[in-house]
Amino acid sequence: CRLIEAVDAQIGVIVDEIDRQNLWKNTLIVFTSDHGDGYGAHQWNQKTALYEEVANVPMIVCLPNGKNAGEVNEALINGGIDLMPSICDFTGAELPRGRKGVSWRSAAEELTSTQEYIVTETNFKQTSGTLGWMVRTPRYKYVLYDKGLYREQLYDMENDRGETVNLAVESRYEDILN
């Protein structure tokens, strides 16, 4: 909680300066991170598992002139690989050749969805020896780890936001799993 408090104070410093210089008409603010804050969910204190609390990276986009202020968009966005294409799109800069990713500008401005799914991987070979991969759609989340008792996991994110029932072990979900 103290970390959140400290970050919030620093954001306040930036916002105060934008106010002071009257820059809101042409300023875009993107607040994001490299991972969510698990906050002890699932009795984990590390970010090595692909539970939603860690994999769902926070992102706040403040558009110029406060467009869509206070709106929440549940669109699937990959904040890592898609950040540079999005910033290039907003600024009119050409995306460097060979760069991958998709702009989420329309998701921010039009409150639409830009992707049917996103893929995430985790590589904590040095600390826990674990590799993991996740495919997330609006409805389902599939996770595969390179080792462990429950290597394969499938969750219904509409009906089980807490990821408590692993559907990968239920034969009636075989088609979805595949």
Side-chain angles (χ1 to χ4, degrees):
C1 290
R2 292 269 189 209
L3 178 59
I4 293 168
E5 191 176 81
V7 169
D8 189 53
Q10 294 307 308
I11 292 169
V13 170
I14 294 168
V15 167
D16 287 347
E17 189 60 22
I18 293 170
D19 280 341
R20 190 183 74 72
Q21 294 188 38
N22 194 26
L23 298 174
W24 286 112
K25 66 180 177 283
N26 65 354
T27 297
L28 169 75
I29 296 176
V30 178
F31 175 86
T32 190
S33 178
D34 62 336
H35 60 82
D37 186 356
Y39 211 67
H42 301 276
Q43 299 179 353
W44 281 81
N45 67 350
Q46 300 293 316
K47 57 183 179 180
T48 56
L50 289 168
Y51 286 119
E52 199 69 358
E53 293 86 358
V54 173
N56 191 358
V57 176
M59 179 155 46
I60 300 170
V61 178
C62 181
L63 297 169
N65 290 318
K67 182 178 180 181
N68 297 332
E71 295 289 336
V72 175
N73 185 350
E74 299 290 334
L76 296 172
I77 291 173
N78 185 321
I81 197 167
D82 295 342
L83 183 61
M84 180 183 270
S86 302
I87 298 301
C88 287
D89 191 7
F90 274 108
T91 62
E94 188 174 325
L95 185 63
R97 277 188 347 169
R99 291 298 305 203
K100 295 182 180 181
V102 213
S103 173
W104 41 254
R105 181 178 180 175
S106 66
E109 291 183 337
E110 309 305 324
L111 300 175
T112 60
S113 183
T114 58
Q115 300 184 91
E116 295 179 34
Y117 64 91
I118 57 171
V119 177
T120 302
E121 68 179 335
T122 182
N123 181 349
F124 287 96
K125 276 289 201 196
Q126 294 174 338
T127 55
S128 68
T130 303
L131 294 172
W133 303 268
M134 176 188 84
V135 177
R136 177 72 157 81
T137 69
R139 175 80 189 261
Y140 292 101
K141 178 178 184 177
Y142 174 74
V143 179
L144 177 66
Y145 293 104
D146 66 334
K147 61 178 165 252
L149 185 57
Y150 300 104
R151 292 186 56 231
E152 194 169 43
Q153 301 168 8
L154 177 68
Y155 298 103
D156 181 336
M157 299 308 291
E158 287 181 7
N159 298 309
D160 182 19
R161 291 288 296 170
E163 299 167 274
T164 59
V165 179
N166 182 5
L167 303 176
V169 297
E170 296 187 26
S171 60
R172 63 187 171 124
Y173 287 92
E174 186 175 351
D175 288 343
I176 293 169
L177 186 65
N178 288 333

CSV table of all heavy atoms in Angstrom, one decimal, residues 33-77:
chain,number,residue,atom,x,y,z
A,33,SER,N,2.5,-0.7,-16.3
A,33,SER,CA,3.6,-1.4,-15.6
A,33,SER,C,4.0,-2.6,-16.3
A,33,SER,O,3.5,-2.9,-17.4
A,33,SER,CB,3.0,-1.8,-14.2
A,33,SER,OG,3.9,-2.5,-13.4
A,34,ASP,N,5.0,-3.3,-15.8
A,34,ASP,CA,5.4,-4.6,-16.5
A,34,ASP,C,4.6,-5.8,-15.9
A,34,ASP,O,4.7,-6.9,-16.5
A,34,ASP,CB,6.9,-4.8,-16.4
A,34,ASP,CG,7.4,-4.9,-15.0
A,34,ASP,OD1,6.7,-4.4,-14.0
A,34,ASP,OD2,8.4,-5.5,-14.8
A,35,HIS,N,3.9,-5.6,-14.9
A,35,HIS,CA,3.1,-6.7,-14.3
A,35,HIS,C,2.1,-6.1,-13.3
A,35,HIS,O,2.2,-5.0,-12.9
A,35,HIS,CB,3.9,-7.8,-13.6
A,35,HIS,CG,4.7,-7.2,-12.5
A,35,HIS,ND1,4.2,-7.0,-11.2
A,35,HIS,CD2,6.0,-6.8,-12.4
A,35,HIS,CE1,5.2,-6.5,-10.5
A,35,HIS,NE2,6.3,-6.3,-11.2
A,36,GLY,N,1.0,-6.9,-13.0
A,36,GLY,CA,0.1,-6.5,-12.0
A,36,GLY,C,0.6,-6.7,-10.7
A,36,GLY,O,1.7,-7.3,-10.5
A,37,ASP,N,-0.1,-6.3,-9.7
A,37,ASP,CA,0.3,-6.5,-8.3
A,37,ASP,C,-0.5,-7.6,-7.7
A,37,ASP,O,-1.7,-7.4,-7.4
A,37,ASP,CB,0.1,-5.2,-7.5
A,37,ASP,CG,0.7,-5.3,-6.1
A,37,ASP,OD1,1.2,-6.4,-5.7
A,37,ASP,OD2,0.7,-4.3,-5.4
A,38,GLY,N,0.0,-8.7,-7.5
A,38,GLY,CA,-0.7,-9.9,-7.1
A,38,GLY,C,-1.3,-9.7,-5.7
A,38,GLY,O,-2.4,-10.3,-5.4
A,39,TYR,N,-0.7,-8.9,-4.9
A,39,TYR,CA,-1.3,-8.5,-3.6
A,39,TYR,C,-1.7,-9.7,-2.7
A,39,TYR,O,-2.6,-9.7,-2.0
A,39,TYR,CB,-2.5,-7.5,-3.8
A,39,TYR,CG,-2.7,-6.5,-2.6
A,39,TYR,CD1,-1.7,-5.5,-2.4
A,39,TYR,CD2,-3.7,-6.6,-1.8
A,39,TYR,CE1,-1.9,-4.6,-1.4
A,39,TYR,CE2,-3.9,-5.7,-0.8
A,39,TYR,CZ,-3.0,-4.7,-0.6
A,39,TYR,OH,-3.1,-3.8,0.4
A,40,GLY,N,-0.9,-10.8,-2.9
A,40,GLY,CA,-1.1,-11.9,-2.0
A,40,GLY,C,-2.2,-12.9,-2.5
A,40,GLY,O,-2.5,-13.8,-1.8
A,41,ALA,N,-2.8,-12.6,-3.6
A,41,ALA,CA,-3.9,-13.5,-4.1
A,41,ALA,C,-3.4,-14.9,-4.4
A,41,ALA,O,-2.2,-15.1,-4.7
A,41,ALA,CB,-4.5,-12.9,-5.4
A,42,HIS,N,-4.2,-15.8,-4.2
A,42,HIS,CA,-3.9,-17.3,-4.4
A,42,HIS,C,-2.7,-17.7,-3.4
A,42,HIS,O,-2.0,-18.6,-3.8
A,42,HIS,CB,-3.5,-17.6,-5.8
A,42,HIS,CG,-4.7,-17.2,-6.8
A,42,HIS,ND1,-5.7,-18.1,-7.0
A,42,HIS,CD2,-4.9,-16.1,-7.5
A,42,HIS,CE1,-6.5,-17.5,-7.8
A,42,HIS,NE2,-6.1,-16.3,-8.1
A,43,GLN,N,-2.5,-16.9,-2.4
A,43,GLN,CA,-1.4,-17.2,-1.4
A,43,GLN,C,-0.1,-17.1,-2.0
A,43,GLN,O,0.9,-17.8,-1.6
A,43,GLN,CB,-1.7,-18.5,-0.7
A,43,GLN,CG,-3.0,-18.5,0.1
A,43,GLN,CD,-3.3,-19.8,0.8
A,43,GLN,OE1,-2.6,-20.8,0.6
A,43,GLN,NE2,-4.3,-19.8,1.5
A,44,TRP,N,0.1,-16.3,-3.1
A,44,TRP,CA,1.4,-16.1,-3.7
A,44,TRP,C,1.9,-14.7,-3.4
A,44,TRP,O,1.2,-13.7,-3.3
A,44,TRP,CB,1.2,-16.1,-5.3
A,44,TRP,CG,1.1,-17.5,-5.8
A,44,TRP,CD1,0.0,-18.3,-5.8
A,44,TRP,CD2,2.1,-18.2,-6.4
A,44,TRP,NE1,0.3,-19.5,-6.5
A,44,TRP,CE2,1.6,-19.5,-6.8
A,44,TRP,CE3,3.5,-18.0,-6.7
A,44,TRP,CZ2,2.3,-20.5,-7.5
A,44,TRP,CZ3,4.2,-19.0,-7.3
A,44,TRP,CH2,3.6,-20.2,-7.7
A,45,ASN,N,3.2,-14.6,-3.1
A,45,ASN,CA,3.8,-13.3,-2.9
A,45,ASN,C,4.8,-12.9,-4.0
A,45,ASN,O,5.5,-12.0,-3.9
A,45,ASN,CB,4.5,-13.3,-1.5
A,45,ASN,CG,5.7,-14.2,-1.5
A,45,ASN,OD1,5.9,-15.0,-2.4
A,45,ASN,ND2,6.4,-14.0,-0.4
A,46,GLN,N,4.8,-13.7,-5.1
A,46,GLN,CA,5.7,-13.5,-6.2
A,46,GLN,C,4.9,-13.3,-7.5
A,46,GLN,O,3.7,-13.6,-7.5
A,46,GLN,CB,6.7,-14.6,-6.4
A,46,GLN,CG,7.6,-14.9,-5.2
A,46,GLN,CD,8.5,-13.7,-4.9
A,46,GLN,OE1,9.1,-13.2,-5.9
A,46,GLN,NE2,8.7,-13.3,-3.7
A,47,LYS,N,5.5,-12.9,-8.5
A,47,LYS,CA,4.8,-12.7,-9.8
A,47,LYS,C,5.1,-13.8,-10.8
A,47,LYS,O,5.1,-13.6,-12.0
A,47,LYS,CB,5.2,-11.3,-10.4
A,47,LYS,CG,6.6,-11.1,-10.6
A,47,LYS,CD,6.9,-9.7,-11.1
A,47,LYS,CE,8.4,-9.5,-11.2
A,47,LYS,NZ,8.8,-8.2,-11.7
A,48,THR,N,5.4,-15.0,-10.3
A,48,THR,CA,5.9,-16.1,-11.2
A,48,THR,C,4.7,-16.9,-11.7
A,48,THR,O,4.9,-17.7,-12.7
A,48,THR,CB,6.8,-17.0,-10.5
A,48,THR,OG1,6.2,-17.5,-9.3
A,48,THR,CG2,8.1,-16.3,-10.2
A,49,ALA,N,3.5,-16.7,-11.2
A,49,ALA,CA,2.3,-17.4,-11.7
A,49,ALA,C,1.5,-16.5,-12.6
A,49,ALA,O,1.5,-15.3,-12.3
A,49,ALA,CB,1.5,-18.0,-10.5
A,50,LEU,N,0.8,-17.0,-13.5
A,50,LEU,CA,0.1,-16.2,-14.5
A,50,LEU,C,-1.4,-16.0,-14.0
A,50,LEU,O,-2.3,-15.9,-14.9
A,50,LEU,CB,0.2,-16.8,-15.9
A,50,LEU,CG,1.5,-16.7,-16.5
A,50,LEU,CD1,1.6,-17.6,-17.8
A,50,LEU,CD2,1.8,-15.3,-16.9
A,51,TYR,N,-1.6,-15.9,-12.7
A,51,TYR,CA,-2.9,-15.5,-12.3
A,51,TYR,C,-3.3,-14.1,-12.7
A,51,TYR,O,-2.4,-13.3,-12.9
A,51,TYR,CB,-3.0,-15.6,-10.7
A,51,TYR,CG,-3.0,-17.0,-10.2
A,51,TYR,CD1,-2.0,-17.5,-9.4
A,51,TYR,CD2,-4.0,-17.9,-10.5
A,51,TYR,CE1,-2.0,-18.8,-8.9
A,51,TYR,CE2,-4.0,-19.2,-10.0
A,51,TYR,CZ,-3.0,-19.6,-9.2
A,51,TYR,OH,-3.0,-20.9,-8.7
A,52,GLU,N,-4.5,-13.8,-12.8
A,52,GLU,CA,-5.0,-12.6,-13.4
A,52,GLU,C,-4.5,-11.4,-12.7
A,52,GLU,O,-4.2,-10.3,-13.2
A,52,GLU,CB,-6.6,-12.6,-13.4
A,52,GLU,CG,-7.2,-11.6,-14.3
A,52,GLU,CD,-7.0,-11.9,-15.8
A,52,GLU,OE1,-6.3,-12.9,-16.2
A,52,GLU,OE2,-7.5,-11.1,-16.6
A,53,GLU,N,-4.3,-11.5,-11.3
A,53,GLU,CA,-3.9,-10.3,-10.6
A,53,GLU,C,-2.5,-9.9,-11.0
A,53,GLU,O,-2.1,-8.7,-10.8
A,53,GLU,CB,-3.9,-10.7,-9.1
A,53,GLU,CG,-5.2,-10.9,-8.5
A,53,GLU,CD,-5.8,-12.3,-8.6
A,53,GLU,OE1,-5.1,-13.2,-9.2
A,53,GLU,OE2,-6.9,-12.6,-8.1
A,54,VAL,N,-1.7,-10.8,-11.5
A,54,VAL,CA,-0.3,-10.5,-12.0
A,54,VAL,C,-0.3,-10.2,-13.5
A,54,VAL,O,0.3,-9.3,-13.9
A,54,VAL,CB,0.7,-11.6,-11.6
A,54,VAL,CG1,2.0,-11.3,-12.1
A,54,VAL,CG2,0.8,-11.7,-10.0
A,55,ALA,N,-1.0,-11.1,-14.2
A,55,ALA,CA,-0.9,-11.0,-15.7
A,55,ALA,C,-1.7,-9.8,-16.2
A,55,ALA,O,-1.4,-9.3,-17.3
A,55,ALA,CB,-1.4,-12.3,-16.3
A,56,ASN,N,-2.7,-9.4,-15.5
A,56,ASN,CA,-3.6,-8.3,-15.9
A,56,ASN,C,-2.9,-7.0,-15.5
A,56,ASN,O,-3.0,-6.5,-14.4
A,56,ASN,CB,-5.0,-8.3,-15.3
A,56,ASN,CG,-5.9,-7.4,-15.9
A,56,ASN,OD1,-5.6,-6.6,-16.8
A,56,ASN,ND2,-7.1,-7.4,-15.4
A,57,VAL,N,-2.1,-6.4,-16.4
A,57,VAL,CA,-1.2,-5.3,-16.2
A,57,VAL,C,-2.1,-4.0,-16.1
A,57,VAL,O,-2.9,-3.8,-17.0
A,57,VAL,CB,-0.2,-5.2,-17.3
A,57,VAL,CG1,0.7,-3.9,-17.1
A,57,VAL,CG2,0.7,-6.4,-17.3
A,58,PRO,N,-1.9,-3.2,-15.1
A,58,PRO,CA,-2.7,-2.0,-15.1
A,58,PRO,C,-2.3,-1.0,-16.2
A,58,PRO,O,-1.1,-0.9,-16.5
A,58,PRO,CB,-2.3,-1.4,-13.7
A,58,PRO,CG,-1.0,-2.0,-13.4
A,58,PRO,CD,-0.9,-3.3,-14.0
A,59,MET,N,-3.3,-0.3,-16.7
A,59,MET,CA,-3.0,0.7,-17.7
A,59,MET,C,-4.1,1.7,-17.6
A,59,MET,O,-5.3,1.4,-17.7
A,59,MET,CB,-3.0,0.1,-19.1
A,59,MET,CG,-2.7,1.3,-20.1
A,59,MET,SD,-1.9,0.9,-21.7
A,59,MET,CE,-2.7,-0.5,-22.3
A,60,ILE,N,-3.7,3.0,-17.5
A,60,ILE,CA,-4.6,4.1,-17.5
A,60,ILE,C,-4.1,5.0,-18.6
A,60,ILE,O,-2.9,5.4,-18.7
A,60,ILE,CB,-4.5,4.9,-16.2
A,60,ILE,CG1,-5.0,3.9,-15.0
A,60,ILE,CG2,-5.4,6.1,-16.2
A,60,ILE,CD1,-4.7,4.5,-13.6
A,61,VAL,N,-5.0,5.4,-19.5
A,61,VAL,CA,-4.7,6.3,-20.6
A,61,VAL,C,-5.6,7.5,-20.4
A,61,VAL,O,-6.8,7.4,-20.4
A,61,VAL,CB,-5.1,5.6,-22.0
A,61,VAL,CG1,-4.8,6.6,-23.1
A,61,VAL,CG2,-4.3,4.3,-22.1
A,62,CYS,N,-4.9,8.6,-20.4
A,62,CYS,CA,-5.6,9.9,-20.3
A,62,CYS,C,-5.4,10.6,-21.6
A,62,CYS,O,-4.2,11.0,-22.0
A,62,CYS,CB,-5.0,10.7,-19.1
A,62,CYS,SG,-5.7,12.4,-18.9
A,63,LEU,N,-6.4,10.7,-22.4
A,63,LEU,CA,-6.4,11.3,-23.7
A,63,LEU,C,-6.4,12.8,-23.6
A,63,LEU,O,-6.9,13.4,-22.7
A,63,LEU,CB,-7.6,10.8,-24.6
A,63,LEU,CG,-7.6,9.3,-24.8
A,63,LEU,CD1,-8.9,8.9,-25.4
A,63,LEU,CD2,-6.5,8.9,-25.7
A,64,PRO,N,-5.9,13.5,-24.7
A,64,PRO,CA,-6.0,15.0,-24.7
A,64,PRO,C,-7.4,15.5,-24.5
A,64,PRO,O,-8.4,14.8,-24.9
A,64,PRO,CB,-5.5,15.3,-26.1
A,64,PRO,CG,-4.6,14.2,-26.5
A,64,PRO,CD,-5.2,13.0,-25.8
A,65,ASN,N,-7.6,16.6,-23.8
A,65,ASN,CA,-8.8,17.2,-23.5
A,65,ASN,C,-9.8,16.3,-22.7
A,65,ASN,O,-11.0,16.6,-22.6
A,65,ASN,CB,-9.6,17.7,-24.8
A,65,ASN,CG,-8.9,18.8,-25.4
A,65,ASN,OD1,-8.5,19.8,-24.7
A,65,ASN,ND2,-8.8,18.8,-26.7
A,66,GLY,N,-9.2,15.3,-22.0
A,66,GLY,CA,-10.0,14.5,-21.1
A,66,GLY,C,-11.0,13.6,-21.8
A,66,GLY,O,-12.0,13.1,-21.2
A,67,LYS,N,-10.8,13.3,-23.1
A,67,LYS,CA,-11.7,12.5,-23.8
A,67,LYS,C,-11.9,11.1,-23.2
A,67,LYS,O,-10.9,10.5,-22.8
A,67,LYS,CB,-11.3,12.3,-25.3
A,67,LYS,CG,-12.2,11.4,-26.1
A,67,LYS,CD,-11.8,11.3,-27.6
A,67,LYS,CE,-12.8,10.4,-28.3
A,67,LYS,NZ,-12.4,10.3,-29.7
A,68,ASN,N,-13.1,10.6,-23.0
A,68,ASN,CA,-13.4,9.3,-22.4
A,68,ASN,C,-13.0,9.2,-20.9
A,68,ASN,O,-12.8,8.1,-20.3
A,68,ASN,CB,-12.8,8.1,-23.1
A,68,ASN,CG,-13.3,8.0,-24.5
A,68,ASN,OD1,-14.5,8.4,-24.8
A,68,ASN,ND2,-12.6,7.5,-25.5
A,69,ALA,N,-12.8,10.4,-20.2
A,69,ALA,CA,-12.4,10.4,-18.8
A,69,ALA,C,-13.4,9.6,-18.0
A,69,ALA,O,-14.6,9.7,-18.1
A,69,ALA,CB,-12.3,11.8,-18.3
A,70,GLY,N,-12.8,8.7,-17.2
A,70,GLY,CA,-13.6,7.9,-16.3
A,70,GLY,C,-14.2,6.6,-16.9
A,70,GLY,O,-14.8,5.8,-16.2
A,71,GLU,N,-14.0,6.4,-18.2
A,71,GLU,CA,-14.5,5.3,-18.9
A,71,GLU,C,-13.6,4.1,-18.7
A,71,GLU,O,-12.4,4.2,-18.5
A,71,GLU,CB,-14.6,5.5,-20.4
A,71,GLU,CG,-15.6,6.5,-20.8
A,71,GLU,CD,-17.1,6.1,-20.6
A,71,GLU,OE1,-17.3,4.9,-20.6
A,71,GLU,OE2,-17.9,7.0,-20.4
A,72,VAL,N,-14.2,2.9,-18.6
A,72,VAL,CA,-13.4,1.7,-18.5
A,72,VAL,C,-13.6,0.8,-19.7
A,72,VAL,O,-14.7,0.6,-20.1
A,72,VAL,CB,-13.8,0.9,-17.2
A,72,VAL,CG1,-13.1,-0.5,-17.2
A,72,VAL,CG2,-13.6,1.7,-16.0
A,73,ASN,N,-12.5,0.4,-20.3
A,73,ASN,CA,-12.6,-0.5,-21.5
A,73,ASN,C,-11.9,-1.8,-21.2
A,73,ASN,O,-10.8,-1.8,-20.8
A,73,ASN,CB,-11.9,0.2,-22.7
A,73,ASN,CG,-12.0,-0.6,-24.0
A,73,ASN,OD1,-12.5,-1.7,-24.0
A,73,ASN,ND2,-11.6,0.0,-25.1
A,74,GLU,N,-12.6,-2.9,-21.3
A,74,GLU,CA,-12.1,-4.2,-20.9
A,74,GLU,C,-11.4,-4.9,-22.1
A,74,GLU,O,-11.2,-6.1,-22.1
A,74,GLU,CB,-13.3,-5.1,-20.5
A,74,GLU,CG,-14.0,-4.6,-19.2
A,74,GLU,CD,-13.1,-4.7,-18.0
A,74,GLU,OE1,-12.2,-5.6,-17.9
A,74,GLU,OE2,-13.4,-3.9,-17.0
A,75,ALA,N,-11.0,-4.1,-23.1
A,75,ALA,CA,-10.4,-4.7,-24.3
A,75,ALA,C,-9.1,-5.4,-23.9
A,75,ALA,O,-8.4,-5.0,-23.0
A,75,ALA,CB,-10.1,-3.6,-25.3
A,76,LEU,N,-8.8,-6.5,-24.6
A,76,LEU,CA,-7.5,-7.2,-24.4
A,76,LEU,C,-6.4,-6.3,-25.1
A,76,LEU,O,-6.4,-6.1,-26.3
A,76,LEU,CB,-7.6,-8.6,-25.0
A,76,LEU,CG,-8.6,-9.5,-24.4
A,76,LEU,CD1,-8.7,-10.8,-25.2
A,76,LEU,CD2,-8.2,-9.8,-22.9
A,77,ILE,N,-5.4,-6.0,-24.3
A,77,ILE,CA,-4.3,-5.1,-24.8
A,77,ILE,C,-3.0,-5.7,-24.2
A,77,ILE,O,-2.9,-6.1,-23.1
A,77,ILE,CB,-4.4,-3.7,-24.3
A,77,ILE,CG1,-5.6,-3.0,-25.0
A,77,ILE,CG2,-3.2,-2.9,-24.5
A,77,ILE,CD1,-6.0,-1.7,-24.5
